[in-house]
Amino acid sequence: MTRLPEFHAAKWDEPLVMEMGRPGGRGQLFPAPEPEVAEAVGTGLIPAAMARKDRPELPEITEFEAQRHYLHLSQMTLGMMGISLFGTCTMKYNSKTAEYATLRPELAEVHPYQHPDTLQGVLEIIHDFDVILRSLSGMDQFIFQAGGGADAAYTMATVARAYWADRGLLGQRTEMVTSVQAHPCNPATAAAAGFTVVNLPLEDNGYPSLDALKAAVSDKTALIMINNPDDMGIYNPEIKEWVRIAKEAGALCFYDHANFNGVMGKLCARELGFDACMFMLHKTFGAPKGGGGPAVGAFGCSDELAPYLPCPVVVKNGDRYELDDDRPKSAGKVREYWGNVPQVVKAYAWARAMGAEGIELASDISVVANNYMDKKLAEIPGLAISNPDVTQRRMEMTRWSLGPLTEETGVGTADFANRMADYGIDPWWMSHEPWIVPEPFTPEAGELWSKEDIDHWIAVVAQIAQEARENPELVKTAPHNQPVAQLKGDAFEDPEKWAMTWRAYKRKVAGDTATQGVA
Amino acid sequence: MRIGLIVNPVAGLGGAVGLKGTDGPDTVAEALRRGANPQAGARTRLALERLAARCPGADLSVAPGPLGADWAEGSPLTLDIAHMPAASGTGRDTQLAVEAMRDASLIVFAGGDGTARDVAAALPEGAAMLGIPCGVKMHSGVFAVSPGAAGALLADLVSAPDRIAWNDAAEVMDIDEDALRAGVLAPRLYGLARVPVARRLMQASKGGPRMDSAEALTAAAQEVAHNMTPGTLYIIGPGTSAGAVMRAAGHAPTTLGTDALLDGAVVARDARASELEALASDRPVRIVLGVTGQQGFLLGRGNQQISPALIARAGREGLIVLATEEKLASLAQPRLWVDTGVPDLDTALSGYIRVRTGAGRLTMMRVGAS
């Protein structure tokens, strides 16, 4: 049995930065401009009507105090530096080398509105990475404008809309077909683009049946959007037939490659018949994520759909790289400029470092690691694998259920997640809604974590399962070793308790009447 | 908040000895003859131990003797034994016990669907109920997942009420046991009850805010109401999902019975088949239906007022089915069932049907003949 180290997170009784400091406290003392500079610039740069009358309400603290404050806050954050087998997120190490590459002035100090002649290096990287993704998918063109997976799904929805409008069939092709287990961004973005969402339920084999698909598609179907494997970890072996049926009905087919890690280099979306796909560079391709971004959903499609891509598209013309903005059928932008280019550079660095063989090997390791984990988790009483009758091996992650343990002890998956933090482990990922199995959790080991890390993680799960039986209240009232105790649930649902700004904090928490009635 | 406890000491007796349920004194006698061991008391103890571990002095009103107090004996909880007429060994005891605890705003009961029905029937307006699962049949949405979970929920109610949310429309269902013994599953909705539910105390770490499926269902109902065709008779089946369409059209639904709308107006309430057939006359007919929880029945269970003739008039295309995605996900099998009594009609209804789960949001569900 793995020995679990004792752990307690740092706890600082840290005030808000606005409550710190003293009048006159400051971090920097800026010198007055030299007389020549002052003369050249002149005074009155800011029109009187626009100049503020009062001093801004800013914390008056020294640079050192500011640094110490934020260091304390960072120490109180569990972050993603524990062992994080956070399913559907494909946690990977974000190399410092790639980080440094993006800090170079050739990237850090350029602007997308510069003349392309001065951007040839960046454009070359974007184009070369496009080519790498083409080789992994069989698509004909990639763009990186989408700021995440959901943005890329929305790109698909808008491209499909433009495609059908161009054919005069948008009034007829009004439906998008997907699986109930597809990532919720697929139905959400299709709905946002105006399509009616048709969900297929999971049936006996853990994925939707061909019969359901046949009943769902018709001359009203604009597109299908599908993951494979989905979050249950089951690869749908009928996927080629799926695409054939959908295409027979005239629909476009989009492969959401959110769960690409288990099949990298093993299959090719275009060979399966898909018209488009997307990769998440901040997951599968080793670029960082978290904090809501920056992220990149790399969207790729066939030549047939390429005219509808958002602009600009980076293209190679002879030895020159250009930004192609002249695409009259373009669906329009989903985001500004060319996307989060530093993330593209990091993903490019990852792909180049791994090489084609390395990428395939990483895929194998992620599947082996998950199957090892499945075997170990099955030894813990009270845990149940989803679709227990499916004999097919799971891919890079598996949906598990805490159902039996919850029935026995009343301890559920959210309680587990809270308690994991007490062992310095990042809370696990449960499931997207709706929950198809009771009290779900979804671990994903990926190729990063060592066997020792995985054993450690499983030992924590086993320990909490034991605690659930012996002292369920300990788990239900967790976390205990973190700077913040369990949050009261009602605060999440009461906007009167939310304070996102200092002004809102003063009004709602400190009861400052001067700010009452101010948004 | 005052909490009352009632135990149905014979709940669940029929299950282990293959009787499918324990409704009525004859079944109880038969179960005991077959050697069944009462479970409800021991399961109640489990729940109370969980409550007492966290809230040792918590106040509890209990029904006397085997209806409650016996199972709390020795517990550190502060017990107040309610006065009520001597037990008769029938469901009437449960109802009398609820009436004896009029001041309780939550009745905790140990039993199954039959007990839930008895509690719901006697429960004062505004009061809530919570089941410690002990029955053979538990199709109602009023049960905790286990005795321990019921105890934990009670402890939260007493010591950490912010962990609790309330559902005002949990379905009280029951199944006709005689029919079940004859091999027919016949669930029926008996009413709606207020129940405490554990809040999921978690932040959405990924994926943003969760979809409120009840809101989504309301939106689906509004879409149906908005797109109703003039001159078509809309038959609104029992249940909250179908009832949402009535509400969206501006009318209060019967909920336990079948209503009908024509050109936006209510033309029948809690109607019988003959009444609906007369209304249908030569008009086009569409039928708005919900799905029974867990079993997934569409037609032929609890909605027999919608006769085969009406169903045949509507056809599969004329059925408008509403359900939340959660309800569909929690079905015992990913299937819906029909049992209209006319085999050819059942066959004609088989295949896939589009269930509305939100505005512009559908789920394909396989329909089978029961």
Side-chain angles (χ1 to χ4, degrees), chain B residues 12-86:
Chain B
L13 269 186
V17 291
L19 284 176
K20 311 262 194 311
T22 328
D23 287 354
D26 294 348
T27 316
V28 173
E30 174 61 18
L32 290 170
R33 195 187 64 73
R34 291 193 190 183
N37 282 320
Q39 299 289 325
R43 292 173 76 82
T44 303
R45 259 190 224 288
L46 281 176
L48 294 184
E49 278 166 16
R50 177 65 63 81
L51 168 62
R54 272 176 58 198
C55 312
D59 291 319
L60 202 62
S61 295
V62 291
L67 298 183
D70 285 2
W71 315 107
E73 216 173 84
S75 152
L77 298 166
T78 309
L79 303 177
D80 170 24
I81 300 175
H83 297 285
M84 59 175 281

Side-chain angles (χ1 to χ4, degrees), chain A residues 86 88-89 175 187 196-204 209 211-212 215-216 406-407 409 414 429-430 433-435 472-473 476-477 486 488-490 492-493, chain B residues 50 54 145-149 152 155-156 162-163 199-203 205-207 210-211 325-326 329-330 334-335 352 354 357 360-366:
Chain A
F86 202 86
T88 78
C89 255
E175 294 180 355
T196 295
V197 173
V198 182
N199 274 311
L200 307 180
L202 305 191
E203 295 195 55
D204 303 339
S209 70
D211 287 343
T406 307
E407 281 207 24
T409 65
W429 167 240
M430 290 174 250
E433 309 263 333
W435 285 1
E473 279 312 299
K476 285 193 85 69
T477 51
Q486 195 173 104
K488 295 213 180 280
D490 53 353
F492 291 136
E493 291 154 29
Chain B
R50 177 65 63 81
R54 272 176 58 198
V145 291
S146 66
D156 282 347
D162 57 277
R163 288 196 198 168
R199 256 184 227 275
R200 279 190 218 154
L201 289 182
M202 58 192 186
Q203 286 171 291
S205 52
K206 184 181 173 200
R210 302 206 303 273
M211 188 169 83
E325 285 179 12
E326 271 145 23
S330 65
R335 298 235 190 319
Y352 280 84
R354 296 176 155 216
T357 60
R361 203 170 163 100
L362 312 158
T363 295
M364 304 294 296
M365 291 298 292
R366 193 191 290 267

Side-chain angles (χ1 to χ4, degrees), chain A residues 222-237:
Chain A
L223 73 163
I224 71 167
M225 301 174 90
I226 202 80
N227 304 81
N228 192 28
D230 66 20
D231 295 355
M232 313 301 269
I234 299 169
Y235 183 82
N236 178 354

Side-chain angles (χ1 to χ4, degrees), chain B residues 94-368:
Chain B
T94 305
Q95 301 200 10
L96 289 172
V98 176
E99 281 160 20
M101 292 190 253
R102 282 249 160 251
D103 59 338
S105 44
L106 171 69
I107 296 291
V108 181
F109 69 95
D113 281 333
T115 323
R117 270 172 66 187
D118 289 330
V119 172
L123 205 61
E125 183 79 27
M129 60 193 281
L130 172 69
I132 300 170
C134 301
V136 181
K137 306 160 296 165
M138 287 181 286
H139 300 91
S140 302
V142 298
F143 294 99
V145 291
S146 66
L153 208 62
L154 291 177
D156 282 347
L157 263 173
V158 174
S159 65
D162 57 277
R163 288 196 198 168
I164 301 296
W166 295 91
N167 173 6
D168 283 318
E171 294 187 332
V172 177
M173 308 280 298
D174 200 4
I175 286 184
D176 182 326
E177 286 184 14
D178 289 333
L180 190 59
R181 286 185 198 108
V184 179
L185 191 62
R188 199 182 133 189
L189 176 66
Y190 282 89
L192 303 177
R194 177 171 163 83
V195 295
V197 287
R199 256 184 227 275
R200 279 190 218 154
L201 289 182
M202 58 192 186
Q203 286 171 291
S205 52
K206 184 181 173 200
R210 302 206 303 273
M211 188 169 83
D212 183 329
S213 56
E215 291 293 330
L217 193 78
T218 304
Q222 280 163 348
E223 195 176 56
V224 172
H226 182 73
N227 292 321
M228 281 183 169
T229 314
T232 296
L233 182 72
Y234 286 84
I235 297 172
I236 316 287
T240 42
S241 306
V245 172
M246 277 286 279
R247 287 189 196 288
H251 311 289
T254 303
T255 306
L256 299 186
T258 299
D259 304 327
L261 291 173
L262 180 64
D263 297 332
V266 181
V267 290
R269 277 197 181 278
D270 200 6
R272 285 163 305 170
S274 54
E275 217 176 315
L276 294 169
E277 283 169 12
L279 276 169
S281 176
D282 53 358
R283 293 188 177 90
V285 173
R286 298 203 71 181
I287 303 172
V288 179
L289 297 168
V291 170
T292 65
Q294 295 184 33
Q295 307 86 14
F297 268 105
L298 261 188
L299 283 164
R301 295 293 182 273
N303 55 12
Q304 282 87 343
Q305 312 91 313
I306 305 171
S307 65
L310 289 166
I311 298 164
R313 283 281 300 281
R316 196 168 65 182
E317 295 300 306
L319 302 183
I320 300 171
V321 184
L322 293 92
T324 64
E325 285 179 12
E326 271 145 23
K327 194 176 211 176
L328 296 177
S330 65
L331 293 177
Q333 296 177 62
R335 298 235 190 319
L336 301 180
W337 302 99
V338 291
D339 180 13
T340 62
V342 181
D344 286 352
L345 182 57
D346 290 351
T347 307
L349 294 172
S350 299
Y352 280 84
I353 196 162
R354 296 176 155 216
V355 179
R356 293 158 188 267
T357 60
R361 203 170 163 100
L362 312 158
T363 295
M364 304 294 296
M365 291 298 292
R366 193 191 290 267
V367 176

